[in-house]
Amino acid sequence: MADQRAVVVLVDTYETADHGVPQTARHLAPAFLAAGAECVRVQSAPEPPGVYRTSTPTWEHYRDNVVHDGDLGRTVAALEPYRPVAVVPGGEYGVAFADVLGEALGVPHNGTASRAARRDKHAMVEAVRAAGLRAARQIRTGDRDELAAWHRATGGRVVVKPVRSAGGDGVSFCDTPEQSAAALDAITARQNVFSEANDVVVAQEYLVGAEFIVNTVSRDGAHHVCDLWRSRRFSVNGITDLSGACYLVPRRGPRHDEVVDYAFAVLDAVGIRHGAAHAELKLGPDGPCLIEVGARVSGGDLPHYARLATGDSQLDWVVDAALRPDRFHARRGEDYEVRRHFSWAALISPVEGTLRRYTAIDRVRALESFHELWELTRPGDRLRRTVDDTTYPVIVTFMHEVDEIVQRDLGTLRYLDGVGFYELA
């Protein structure tokens, strides 16, 4: 090598998804470059999945781009001259191959022995249960009759979803065995968001409680919580628990230690010893219970937002864990300080058709804590009813030194949203 700068391998850093939705991966290379490292990008397959087909990396951020053609030895040989110090997945799609590559290169890694528990939503919950932690009742099946019988025996509401996917893709809330069977049919009839076949589904009992997002970074099995978020969900458009907003909460708060301790135990259970993780869980009367966990940086651009709100983020901790482990261990356990309160929110369209205009978009921009707005569906585009996070028409962020103003503006946004917000051609 011409110089002694550390090199980090970033796997599948796709910067946008369909409709130009920004992805957290676009911040990874700049974070490492700012710390004086260089980046080599690895694409885990010759063709990207459909959701990222139009994504173009910022090539000037990378020293090289290596496309894995299925021959691991050839890919490792292409990377070895760079003497990489870390392998970091750009998102959920890159997690599995990052495990394989990190192990093959001999850098700190989570390994392949327990990788199923970090990608397979059924296996991860079983790993949590085997560790003695609270875990949801569940079944993995491709048989509609077996699923209906399990739902009948379980009773109540259940959640049916693809075994491997991301971002709310295919998640269905079912109150009857017939609805569960129909959800299985719908999921297995198509590919998941990563263009993979859905041969089976996982069905889990519906968890009641406040939903938390716990973003962490680990090194050598030692964990640090970077930021905590509370989610807001809505029963609209036939969806029982549609995610519509989340907001940053302080590290210390009522039962927050309970949430963090459980999340750390989950990381141990699924074998996350190195790198970032994003855990979603419900906190109910019986304590925390896992929804799912990913061995990668949080999606939804939350690390970028956390940095705006606190001055630090999961991105910064990933850099320290990879390049400056002594600094990571020295700082681990420090509480972040919320300097500016932050919330992310999506508009939820109840109508479909060709969009002519948003009637109150200027009123949204005029809200006191308004920070940024992304029109994912623009005038002239086909507007879809919002049923998951792939059908949000607009994403809005709010930021202010006073939490009450952010909460007020979140409420105002929901008041403005509705049938009258969307003028159709």
Side-chain angles (χ1 to χ4, degrees):
M1 292 176 61
D3 56 51
Q4 297 301 310
R5 285 197 288 171
V7 173
V8 176
V9 172
L10 302 181
V11 179
D12 292 329
T13 43
Y14 293 105
E15 299 187 7
T16 58
D18 280 349
H19 308 296
V21 181
Q23 301 294 290
T24 303
R26 75 189 194 280
H27 300 295
L28 276 171
F32 280 105
L33 293 174
E38 291 188 306
C39 300
V40 172
R41 183 178 183 270
V42 169
Q43 187 170 307
S44 65
E47 291 295 326
V51 69
Y52 298 134
R53 200 142 290 159
T54 61
S55 179
T56 303
T58 305
W59 294 117
E60 56 264 33
H61 290 163
Y62 300 97
R63 182 164 174 171
D64 196 0
N65 182 62
V66 177
V67 178
H68 177 63
D69 62 3
D71 187 326
L72 180 61
R74 186 154 48 229
T75 299
V76 169
L79 295 171
E80 281 179 335
Y82 296 109
R83 292 182 291 173
V85 298
V87 175
V88 178
E92 189 69 22
Y93 183 68
V95 166
F97 192 63
D99 286 339
V100 172
L101 202 54
E103 188 172 80
L105 288 167
V107 301
H109 59 86
N110 293 321
T112 57
S114 58
R115 62 176 172 163
R118 296 188 291 274
R119 280 290 286 121
D120 183 302
K121 298 181 192 300
H122 181 270
M124 72 176 55
V125 169
E126 290 309 308
V128 167
R129 194 188 323 278
L133 303 173
R134 184 177 175 223
R137 292 173 291 170
Q138 63 172 2
I139 184 175
R140 175 191 176 114
T141 182
D143 185 300
R144 67 193 319 275
D145 293 333
E146 182 182 30
L147 175 56
W150 177 85
H151 189 163
R152 203 170 288 114
T154 302
R157 176 175 296 151
V158 305
V159 183
V160 182
K161 55 189 176 182
V163 171
R164 290 166 57 99
S165 195
D169 171 47
V171 177
S172 302
F173 298 87
C174 305
D175 291 316
T176 67
E178 293 74 22
Q179 289 176 352
S180 290
L184 183 150
D185 290 342
I187 292 169
T188 56
R190 61 173 181 78
Q191 295 180 322
N192 68 16
V193 72
F194 297 133
S195 303
E196 301 166 330
N198 288 319
D199 298 322
V200 296
V201 300
V202 58
Q204 299 168 336
E205 65 173 307
Y206 174 73
L207 300 172
V208 177
E211 183 171 331
F212 281 84
I213 295 169
V214 187
N215 291 325
T216 66
V217 173
S218 305
R219 173 77 193 215
D220 305 314
H223 312 305
H224 173 77
V225 60
C226 306
D227 45 281
L228 292 172
W229 301 75
R230 279 282 303 272
S231 296
R232 283 187 175 174
R233 291 183 172 266
F234 305 90
S235 293
V236 294
N237 293 342
I239 308 300
T240 303
D241 245 14
L242 181 63
S243 176
C246 67
Y247 55 96
L248 183 69
V249 296
R251 166 61 185 89
R252 305 292 170 178
R255 303 185 72 184
H256 287 191
D257 283 346
E258 186 180 357
V259 167
V260 170
D261 290 345
Y262 176 87
F264 285 177
V266 166
L267 302 185
D268 293 335
V270 301
I272 297 177
R273 292 179 48 79
H274 296 279
H278 166 79
E280 299 172 5
L281 56 89
K282 287 284 187 76
L283 177 62
D286 297 327
C289 193
L290 181 69
I291 301 172
E292 57 190 59
V293 61
R296 38 76 179 180
V297 292
S298 176
D301 235 11
L302 294 191
H304 170 59
Y305 299 148
R307 183 185 275 170
L308 293 176
T310 70
D312 210 355
S313 80
Q314 201 177 24
L315 297 163
D316 304 292
W317 284 91
V318 164
V319 170
D320 276 355
L323 302 180
R324 304 180 286 242
D326 290 345
R327 173 178 160 86
F328 172 88
H329 288 298
R331 295 179 61 216
R332 185 178 66 87
E334 291 180 0
D335 291 351
Y336 59 87
E337 177 188 353
V338 179
R339 302 171 184 173
R340 291 177 289 185
H341 297 274
F342 200 99
S343 179
W344 164 100
L347 294 185
I348 299 172
S349 170
V351 295
E352 292 187 333
T354 300
L355 178 68
R356 177 173 290 163
R357 69 184 183 103
Y358 297 109
T359 61
I361 202 76
D362 290 339
R363 293 179 65 185
V364 173
R365 289 193 174 96
L367 293 172
E368 187 173 352
S369 65
F370 172 82
H371 174 254
E372 197 172 27
L373 182 148
W374 298 84
E375 288 190 10
L376 307 181
T377 300
R378 296 180 175 85
D381 291 346
R382 177 73 181 176
L383 178 71
R384 295 181 291 169
R385 289 172 70 246
T386 305
V387 295
D388 57 27
D389 62 3
T390 70
T391 48
Y392 295 143
V394 175
I395 291 174
V396 186
T397 58
F398 299 99
M399 184 167 62
H400 201 277
E401 289 78 8
V402 179
D403 182 49
E404 181 55 34
I405 291 176
V406 171
Q407 298 300 326
R408 181 199 65 196
D409 290 350
L410 273 173
T412 304
L413 179 75
R414 203 54 62 198
Y415 168 78
L416 294 171
D417 196 11
V419 176
F421 194 86
Y422 308 92
E423 184 178 307
L424 303 181

